[in-house]
Amino acid sequence: MLVLAAAGGWVTYATHVDPGTHVEERPGAWWETTAEFGHAATVTEPNPVYPVGATLTDRSAYYGAIAPRLDGNFTYGYAASEGGSLTLRVDADVVLQAVERNQSGAVQTRYWQRTRNLGESEARGVAPGESVRVPFSFNATELARETDRIDEELGASLGETEALVRTTVTLTGTVNGESVDRTERYALPVGLGNAYTVEDPGPTTDRHAPTRTVTVPNRYGPVRQLGGPVLLGVGLGGAVGLVWARRRGRLAPPTPAETERLSFREARSEFDEWIHAIDLPASAFERPRAEAESLADLVDFAIDTNSSVVEDAEAGTYYVLHDGYLYTYAPPAFDRPDDGTGDGESGGANGDGDGESDAMDGGERRPDDASESATAASADGERSP
């Protein structure tokens, strides 16, 4: 109980008085940029499907014969948790190149490249939530013919010829009170041919969320908050109760008689299969006898000699007959059968009504001399076949 109380006191103290602290990584001020391409093509040549002047918007492919020019725009903006002011410069180029890419898609070999500026834009003092837009336009059919001319003049076509709209964004200024000076690039791939394709990557968001280290106090759940005081109360209350019970004599150690009784009962239950209730003839009690210290000793002897233990259910005594001897064990008197007087621990076993304790003669039929042997034999003879 004292150990329980000490554990409860420690838990209570560590939970409510000094819970301690720990270090956590928490997100700091954040900001993020967003970039997005938009594109369309206007029908300029008569055809059986689209009227001249119709605008085809955000298609994955356009017909070069009827809408050769791709018109687009690039929009860039940012958001911040604690404000900012940036100068944004955006340069848009169309790039023609012949390259060889590896399995991951990265350029492994660039055979040739030509770059043409499509436009540029610059804005100062751009606040979070604001954006900058740069328009661009080029004739995709003319770019396809230009790449063919280049391959023809070079005398060979190496790698894969491709075109892309490349935008370069330069950011300078402050965001969330921190200085910013960085450059970002975005690309819109365009596949050239009779029908040119556009691989729009969609909106691209780049989030910047640095973490900060903070020290915070420990917090515990209701189980620990309530469990500590409960353990403390139970431990102290139990210790006080045990001290009180000991002083009142309610925690006295078992008496030798009680210990002997418990040992006998455990042995009787353990060796039950070796014990048999049998009425022995009078002649069995005329043998020389030896007394065992315990029922366990008597059973061990019976096992060693390949004998059985005989129980006299009336007297409560145990016997082993072996090699002309009678080996006996008499259990504690209070574990012997009740003789009908209502007291299982004592009574007038001799039937004379004087209330002599069974313990005086052991409740046994084991005479100590010749005259007692004859008396016992006579008494047992009445019950013998």
Side-chain angles (χ1 to χ4, degrees):
M1 288 300 175
L2 291 177
V3 171
L4 187 65
W10 179 84
V11 173
T12 301
Y13 178 83
T15 302
H16 299 280
V17 180
D18 185 15
T21 60
H22 67 279
V23 175
E24 289 184 358
E25 294 291 332
R26 293 185 176 180
W30 62 269
W31 66 288
E32 64 181 17
T33 61
T34 303
E36 183 176 11
F37 285 97
H39 49 86
T42 301
V43 177
T44 60
E45 301 297 329
N47 64 89
V49 179
Y50 303 103
V52 175
T55 301
L56 308 179
T57 307
D58 295 329
R59 302 290 183 92
S60 59
Y62 300 92
Y63 294 100
I66 63 174
R69 178 167 290 276
L70 181 67
D71 300 316
N73 59 77
F74 174 77
T75 304
Y76 186 92
Y78 77 101
S81 61
E82 298 179 5
S85 178
L86 291 177
T87 296
L88 300 179
R89 178 180 175 83
V90 181
D91 293 285
D93 302 306
V94 61
V95 179
L96 291 178
Q97 60 185 6
V99 297
E100 225 176 80
R101 298 182 180 272
N102 56 25
Q103 293 182 349
S104 63
V107 175
Q108 184 173 348
T109 304
R110 180 177 285 107
Y111 295 103
W112 59 266
Q113 182 184 77
R114 295 188 65 178
T115 303
R116 182 184 306 166
N117 182 263
L118 296 177
E120 59 187 37
S121 179
E122 182 175 322
R124 299 178 179 273
V126 180
E130 298 178 348
S131 60
V132 177
R133 173 173 293 193
V134 178
F136 58 85
S137 179
F138 59 89
N139 191 313
T141 304
E142 286 295 332
L143 289 182
R145 286 196 287 263
E146 184 177 348
T147 58
D148 291 340
R149 286 196 301 270
I150 293 175
D151 288 339
E152 184 178 352
E153 292 176 4
L154 292 176
S157 178
L158 299 178
E160 180 181 354
T161 303
E162 63 182 22
L164 55 88
V165 178
R166 183 179 64 193
T167 58
T168 303
V169 183
T170 304
L171 304 83
T172 56
T174 59
V175 176
N176 297 330
E178 300 289 336
S179 177
V180 174
D181 185 1
R182 56 187 295 137
T183 300
E184 300 176 356
R185 288 184 175 85
Y186 302 88
L188 179 70
V190 179
L192 301 178
N194 292 331
Y196 56 95
T197 61
V198 179
E199 299 178 20
D200 192 344
T204 303
T205 300
D206 186 11
R207 187 177 180 87
H208 309 272
T211 59
R212 54 192 178 94
T213 302
V214 296
T215 301
V216 296
N218 295 326
R219 292 184 178 180
Y220 303 99
V223 173
R224 177 160 176 167
Q225 290 179 352
L226 298 177
V230 169
L231 289 178
L232 178 60
V234 170
L236 291 178
V240 171
L242 289 175
V243 171
W244 175 84
R246 186 181 184 91
R247 292 184 178 234
R248 300 280 294 183
R250 299 188 179 185
L251 294 180
T255 64
E258 290 172 336
T259 302
E260 185 179 3
R261 175 168 60 179
L262 292 174
S263 298
F264 165 72
R265 286 180 175 174
E266 291 177 0
R268 181 63 180 83
S269 175
E270 179 181 357
F271 301 117
D272 182 70
E273 62 178 316
W274 289 90
I275 300 173
H276 307 279
I278 301 175
D279 288 334
L280 295 176
S283 58
F285 298 98
E286 296 176 358
R287 299 184 178 198
R289 65 177 60 197
E291 295 186 5
E293 291 291 333
S294 66
L295 180 60
D297 292 339
L298 188 65
V299 173
D300 287 341
F301 176 75
I303 295 174
D304 292 341
T305 59
N306 198 24
S307 304
S308 295
V309 179
V310 177
E311 177 184 15
D312 187 335
E314 182 179 347
T317 308
Y318 299 84
Y319 305 96
V320 173
L321 282 74
H322 176 70
D323 199 19
Y325 287 88
L326 182 64
Y327 300 87
T328 69
Y329 171 71
F334 38 71
D335 279 310
R336 299 178 188 176
D338 195 337
D339 62 358
T341 63
D343 185 355
E345 298 187 6
S346 63
N350 56 6
D352 59 5
D354 60 0
E356 292 181 356
S357 171
D358 286 345
M360 295 182 63
D361 59 7
E364 309 175 7
R365 295 168 299 168
R366 46 172 189 162
D368 296 330
D369 50 33
S371 61
E372 290 178 348
S373 175
T375 302
S378 176
D380 288 339
E382 296 177 1
R383 299 187 289 108
S384 302

